[in-house]
PDB file of all heavy atoms in Angstrom:
ATOM      1  N   GLY A  98     -21.957  19.076  14.152  1.00  0.00           N
ATOM      2  CA  GLY A  98     -21.204  19.362  15.367  1.00  0.00           C
ATOM      3  C   GLY A  98     -21.142  18.188  16.313  1.00  0.00           C
ATOM      4  O   GLY A  98     -20.456  18.263  17.333  1.00  0.00           O
ATOM      5  N   GLY A  99     -21.839  17.107  16.002  1.00  0.00           N
ATOM      6  CA  GLY A  99     -21.780  15.925  16.852  1.00  0.00           C
ATOM      7  C   GLY A  99     -20.547  15.088  16.561  1.00  0.00           C
ATOM      8  O   GLY A  99     -20.027  15.125  15.431  1.00  0.00           O
ATOM      9  N   LYS A 100     -20.097  14.335  17.520  1.00  0.00           N
ATOM     10  CA  LYS A 100     -18.946  13.440  17.270  1.00  0.00           C
ATOM     11  C   LYS A 100     -19.194  12.134  18.036  1.00  0.00           C
ATOM     12  O   LYS A 100     -19.899  12.115  19.046  1.00  0.00           O
ATOM     13  CB  LYS A 100     -17.630  14.065  17.671  1.00  0.00           C
ATOM     14  CG  LYS A 100     -17.532  14.311  19.164  1.00  0.00           C
ATOM     15  CD  LYS A 100     -16.169  14.935  19.499  1.00  0.00           C
ATOM     16  CE  LYS A 100     -16.056  15.146  21.020  1.00  0.00           C
ATOM     17  NZ  LYS A 100     -14.762  15.607  21.409  1.00  0.00           N
ATOM     18  N   TYR A 101     -18.634  11.088  17.551  1.00  0.00           N
ATOM     19  CA  TYR A 101     -18.799   9.796  18.189  1.00  0.00           C
ATOM     20  C   TYR A 101     -17.953   9.695  19.458  1.00  0.00           C
ATOM     21  O   TYR A 101     -16.765  10.054  19.464  1.00  0.00           O
ATOM     22  CB  TYR A 101     -18.333   8.684  17.254  1.00  0.00           C
ATOM     23  CG  TYR A 101     -19.313   8.355  16.137  1.00  0.00           C
ATOM     24  CD1 TYR A 101     -19.109   8.843  14.855  1.00  0.00           C
ATOM     25  CD2 TYR A 101     -20.409   7.592  16.369  1.00  0.00           C
ATOM     26  CE1 TYR A 101     -20.013   8.535  13.834  1.00  0.00           C
ATOM     27  CE2 TYR A 101     -21.347   7.287  15.357  1.00  0.00           C
ATOM     28  CZ  TYR A 101     -21.090   7.791  14.092  1.00  0.00           C
ATOM     29  OH  TYR A 101     -21.963   7.508  13.095  1.00  0.00           O
ATOM     30  N   LEU A 102     -18.567   9.217  20.531  1.00  0.00           N
ATOM     31  CA  LEU A 102     -17.807   8.914  21.749  1.00  0.00           C
ATOM     32  C   LEU A 102     -17.496   7.435  21.765  1.00  0.00           C
ATOM     33  O   LEU A 102     -16.480   7.030  22.310  1.00  0.00           O
ATOM     34  CB  LEU A 102     -18.648   9.288  22.995  1.00  0.00           C
ATOM     35  CG  LEU A 102     -18.991  10.777  23.100  1.00  0.00           C
ATOM     36  CD1 LEU A 102     -19.876  10.972  24.344  1.00  0.00           C
ATOM     37  CD2 LEU A 102     -17.722  11.560  23.190  1.00  0.00           C
ATOM     38  N   ARG A 103     -18.371   6.637  21.162  1.00  0.00           N
ATOM     39  CA  ARG A 103     -18.153   5.191  21.067  1.00  0.00           C
ATOM     40  C   ARG A 103     -18.842   4.762  19.777  1.00  0.00           C
ATOM     41  O   ARG A 103     -19.936   5.146  19.467  1.00  0.00           O
ATOM     42  CB  ARG A 103     -18.770   4.472  22.240  1.00  0.00           C
ATOM     43  CG  ARG A 103     -18.612   2.980  22.149  1.00  0.00           C
ATOM     44  CD  ARG A 103     -19.135   2.326  23.401  1.00  0.00           C
ATOM     45  NE  ARG A 103     -18.307   2.750  24.489  1.00  0.00           N
ATOM     46  CZ  ARG A 103     -18.255   2.173  25.653  1.00  0.00           C
ATOM     47  NH1 ARG A 103     -19.010   1.126  25.879  1.00  0.00           N
ATOM     48  NH2 ARG A 103     -17.471   2.622  26.647  1.00  0.00           N
ATOM     49  N   MET A 104     -18.169   3.896  19.041  1.00  0.00           N
ATOM     50  CA  MET A 104     -18.729   3.367  17.778  1.00  0.00           C
ATOM     51  C   MET A 104     -18.592   1.877  17.787  1.00  0.00           C
ATOM     52  O   MET A 104     -17.478   1.338  17.584  1.00  0.00           O
ATOM     53  CB  MET A 104     -17.956   3.988  16.600  1.00  0.00           C
ATOM     54  CG  MET A 104     -18.515   3.661  15.253  1.00  0.00           C
ATOM     55  SD  MET A 104     -17.516   4.483  14.027  1.00  0.00           S
ATOM     56  CE  MET A 104     -18.765   5.114  12.985  1.00  0.00           C
ATOM     57  N   GLU A 105     -19.688   1.175  18.044  1.00  0.00           N
ATOM     58  CA  GLU A 105     -19.662  -0.291  18.189  1.00  0.00           C
ATOM     59  C   GLU A 105     -20.376  -1.007  17.058  1.00  0.00           C
ATOM     60  O   GLU A 105     -20.134  -2.178  16.835  1.00  0.00           O
ATOM     61  CB  GLU A 105     -20.276  -0.694  19.515  1.00  0.00           C
ATOM     62  CG  GLU A 105     -19.475  -0.230  20.706  1.00  0.00           C
ATOM     63  CD  GLU A 105     -20.082  -0.660  22.025  1.00  0.00           C
ATOM     64  OE1 GLU A 105     -21.175  -1.247  22.035  1.00  0.00           O
ATOM     65  OE2 GLU A 105     -19.463  -0.424  23.069  1.00  0.00           O
ATOM     66  N   ARG A 106     -21.291  -0.306  16.371  1.00  0.00           N
ATOM     67  CA  ARG A 106     -22.035  -0.988  15.293  1.00  0.00           C
ATOM     68  C   ARG A 106     -21.104  -1.213  14.131  1.00  0.00           C
ATOM     69  O   ARG A 106     -20.246  -0.389  13.832  1.00  0.00           O
ATOM     70  CB  ARG A 106     -23.238  -0.153  14.888  1.00  0.00           C
ATOM     71  CG  ARG A 106     -24.246  -0.016  15.993  1.00  0.00           C
ATOM     72  CD  ARG A 106     -25.477   0.757  15.590  1.00  0.00           C
ATOM     73  NE  ARG A 106     -25.087   2.046  14.997  1.00  0.00           N
ATOM     74  CZ  ARG A 106     -25.789   2.657  14.075  1.00  0.00           C
ATOM     75  NH1 ARG A 106     -26.885   2.133  13.599  1.00  0.00           N
ATOM     76  NH2 ARG A 106     -25.397   3.805  13.596  1.00  0.00           N
ATOM     77  N   ARG A 107     -21.311  -2.327  13.457  1.00  0.00           N
ATOM     78  CA  ARG A 107     -20.455  -2.720  12.342  1.00  0.00           C
ATOM     79  C   ARG A 107     -20.704  -1.854  11.099  1.00  0.00           C
ATOM     80  O   ARG A 107     -21.847  -1.644  10.707  1.00  0.00           O
ATOM     81  CB  ARG A 107     -20.724  -4.157  12.000  1.00  0.00           C
ATOM     82  CG  ARG A 107     -19.741  -4.763  11.006  1.00  0.00           C
ATOM     83  CD  ARG A 107     -20.094  -6.208  10.753  1.00  0.00           C
ATOM     84  NE  ARG A 107     -19.195  -6.817   9.834  1.00  0.00           N
ATOM     85  CZ  ARG A 107     -19.212  -6.553   8.519  1.00  0.00           C
ATOM     86  NH1 ARG A 107     -20.066  -5.733   8.021  1.00  0.00           N
ATOM     87  NH2 ARG A 107     -18.372  -7.155   7.699  1.00  0.00           N
ATOM     88  N   LEU A 108     -19.628  -1.395  10.491  1.00  0.00           N
ATOM     89  CA  LEU A 108     -19.686  -0.644   9.227  1.00  0.00           C
ATOM     90  C   LEU A 108     -18.964  -1.488   8.191  1.00  0.00           C
ATOM     91  O   LEU A 108     -18.145  -2.328   8.509  1.00  0.00           O
ATOM     92  CB  LEU A 108     -19.044   0.703   9.346  1.00  0.00           C
ATOM     93  CG  LEU A 108     -19.633   1.703  10.333  1.00  0.00           C
ATOM     94  CD1 LEU A 108     -18.765   2.938  10.412  1.00  0.00           C
ATOM     95  CD2 LEU A 108     -21.031   2.054   9.955  1.00  0.00           C
ATOM     96  N   GLY A 109     -19.249  -1.207   6.937  1.00  0.00           N
ATOM     97  CA  GLY A 109     -18.503  -1.869   5.862  1.00  0.00           C
ATOM     98  C   GLY A 109     -19.386  -2.783   5.056  1.00  0.00           C
ATOM     99  O   GLY A 109     -20.620  -2.711   5.067  1.00  0.00           O
ATOM    100  N   LYS A 110     -18.737  -3.688   4.352  1.00  0.00           N
ATOM    101  CA  LYS A 110     -19.406  -4.518   3.379  1.00  0.00           C
ATOM    102  C   LYS A 110     -20.013  -5.779   4.054  1.00  0.00           C
ATOM    103  O   LYS A 110     -19.427  -6.364   4.927  1.00  0.00           O
ATOM    104  CB  LYS A 110     -18.372  -4.978   2.325  1.00  0.00           C
ATOM    105  CG  LYS A 110     -18.983  -5.614   1.111  1.00  0.00           C
ATOM    106  CD  LYS A 110     -17.904  -5.766   0.051  1.00  0.00           C
ATOM    107  CE  LYS A 110     -18.576  -6.284  -1.196  1.00  0.00           C
ATOM    108  NZ  LYS A 110     -17.673  -6.336  -2.330  1.00  0.00           N
TER     109      LYS A 110
END
Side-chain angles (χ1 to χ4, degrees):
K100 64 179 182 176
Y101 284 101
L102 297 177
R103 179 175 296 196
M104 187 179 223
E105 294 181 355
R106 296 182 308 150
R107 188 179 181 287
L108 298 176
K110 192 169 186 175

